Amino acid sequence: MSSRREESDIAVETTALLPETVATARNPAIAAAAASIDSEAAQRRRDELKGYVCMAASALGFATNSACVKALAIAKFPSLEIVFARSVMQLSLGLLGCLFYRVSPLGPADSRIRKWLVLRGSAGAFGNACFFYAVSVMTLADATVVFFTGPVFSAIFANWMLGEPYDGFDRIASVVCMLGIILVLKPTVLFSQVLAAGAVAALAGAMSGALAYCVVRKVGRSVHYMVHVVYFGFLSMVGSLIAMFAMQSPRMPNTAYEWVLMAMVGTFAYLGQVLLNRGLQLAPAGPGTLMRNLDVVFAFLFGVTLFDEVPDWISVAGAVVIVGCTIAMGLHKWFSHSSGRA
């Protein structure tokens, strides 16, 4: 009797599982749909991982680029000349990239998208010029930290351009981030016209970079990331060439060391730009913010090891506040979007 009861229980449990299994087996469409969903989810996870790696590598590329800018500034090269050198190299490599991927460097034929690309290139070029000037007159770490208030401005621009919410949490984080800037700059900036100009330039660069970031997100995957590189490089080259002769006194590199640094500025900027554009397209905004802030970590390391720029505890505290606020804002938006989709 006991044996028969156990067999009956097993039969009941097995029978309860049969309808779904049989339905899936008898309906190839259901099985194919399930397999397709699993495949898409796996591909999405792979894409996100690629995005994280791209953004981390981008941070290292940009930090190396900034270190080269600092070295050239110490060698008395004007900041706009360094911008021009970067732009020429970036444009050349961007055109080669478009040729390799067989995409038009002008982007899609849609005139509306091309207008956004011009805005992206112009904003990026102006922001880059401002940042290079800030690096030339401030410590590498301080200039980078102030420049990385960009996510605060990105949240504001995203509210305007992309319709994303800018709620009370974002406002509080923005105010706290500004307090972090005060800690980084300290009252000494008020008594130095050069440092004050550098701080204003870094903030202006952060705003322009935030605008460029939102444009990349607005056009999305409809534009190949190499096209962004070309627009940025071309508009930056033209603008810096005019401004260089109008506002500064450029000079030719005299040694192999200076030529190598000029080439490295363009090369690492190109790599950082390509990886950033690709990472923005693949990685979710929240975790991607974590990767992007590695720039600050690398800047501190390069400043200490290469230029003997040892920050005091107040600057470090300000950097922690700024990075913490930008990360919190990124994760907050990511969690908000995730819960909204759920």
Side-chain angles (χ1 to χ4, degrees):
M1 290 292 292
S2 175
S3 176
R4 291 179 180 177
R5 188 178 296 110
E6 290 175 0
E7 291 177 359
S8 177
D9 291 342
I10 294 172
V12 170
E13 292 175 2
T14 306
T15 303
L17 297 174
L18 278 177
E20 180 180 357
T21 306
V22 172
T24 303
R26 291 181 178 178
N27 194 332
I30 296 178
S36 176
I37 292 174
D38 291 341
S39 176
E40 290 176 1
Q43 183 61 47
R44 186 164 57 250
R45 287 192 294 270
R46 286 194 294 270
D47 286 345
E48 290 179 2
L49 179 59
K50 290 178 183 177
Y52 301 147
V53 173
C54 284
M55 297 194 79
S58 168
L60 179 58
F62 280 126
T64 306
N65 165 70
S66 300
C68 294
V69 172
K70 186 68 177 179
L72 287 168
I74 292 174
K76 305 302 182 183
F77 279 92
S79 59
L80 288 173
E81 182 178 357
I82 305 172
V83 173
F84 177 74
R86 163 184 167 154
S87 305
V88 171
M89 180 69 74
Q90 185 167 329
L91 177 61
S92 302
L93 294 174
L95 290 172
L96 288 175
C98 287
L99 182 64
F100 176 79
Y101 287 108
R102 297 182 180 180
V103 297
S104 170
L106 297 178
D110 190 335
S111 60
R112 293 172 298 178
I113 293 181
R114 287 186 177 177
K115 289 178 181 177
W116 283 113
L117 289 172
V118 170
L119 176 61
R120 184 265 179 273
S122 301
F126 180 74
N128 182 61
C130 289
F131 176 62
F132 277 23
Y133 174 76
V135 170
S136 69
V137 299
M138 302 172 68
T139 66
L140 180 60
D142 285 355
T144 303
V145 168
V146 175
F147 183 73
F148 266 77
T149 56
V152 173
F153 303 110
S154 293
I156 298 172
F157 289 136
N159 176 254
W160 166 51
M161 295 171 58
L162 307 174
E164 295 185 356
Y166 185 71
D167 55 22
F169 182 91
D170 296 320
R171 292 184 176 89
I172 293 173
S174 299
V175 172
V176 175
C177 192
M178 294 301 119
L179 295 177
I181 293 177
I182 295 174
L183 290 176
V184 170
L185 299 178
K186 297 180 283 296
T188 53
V189 75
L190 300 176
F191 302 100
S192 172
Q193 184 176 358
V194 173
L195 288 179
V200 171
L203 280 173
M207 295 179 191
S208 298
L211 178 59
Y213 165 86
C214 289
V215 173
V216 172
R217 292 186 56 203
K218 186 172 182 65
V219 299
R221 300 192 185 191
S222 63
V223 178
H224 196 279
Y225 58 91
M226 279 293 174
V227 176
H228 289 288
V229 174
V230 169
Y231 271 80
F232 176 84
F234 175 75
L235 292 168
S236 180
M237 182 186 69
V238 174
S240 62
L241 178 63
I242 296 173
M244 175 174 62
F245 287 103
M247 302 171 61
Q248 296 178 338
S249 300
R251 72 174 182 85
M252 292 292 291
N254 295 323
T255 65
Y257 169 75
E258 292 176 348
W259 280 107
V260 170
L261 280 179
M262 283 288 188
M264 288 177 65
V265 166
T267 302
F268 281 104
Y270 169 79
L271 292 174
Q273 194 68 41
V274 168
L275 292 167
L276 174 61
N277 286 328
R278 189 56 177 158
L280 288 174
Q281 293 176 331
L282 294 175
T289 303
L290 297 172
M291 300 294 103
R292 191 70 183 93
N293 279 278
L294 287 174
D295 260 40
V296 176
V297 177
F298 292 133
F300 270 93
L301 291 175
F302 289 158
V304 172
T305 58
L306 299 179
F307 307 109
D308 199 26
E309 298 175 344
V310 181
D312 57 28
W313 69 269
I314 299 178
S315 294
V316 174
V320 170
V321 169
I322 292 172
V323 172
C325 288
T326 57
I327 289 175
M329 291 178 69
L331 293 177
H332 171 65
K333 287 189 176 298
W334 183 54
F335 286 130
S336 298
H337 292 169
S338 299
S339 60
R341 287 193 297 268

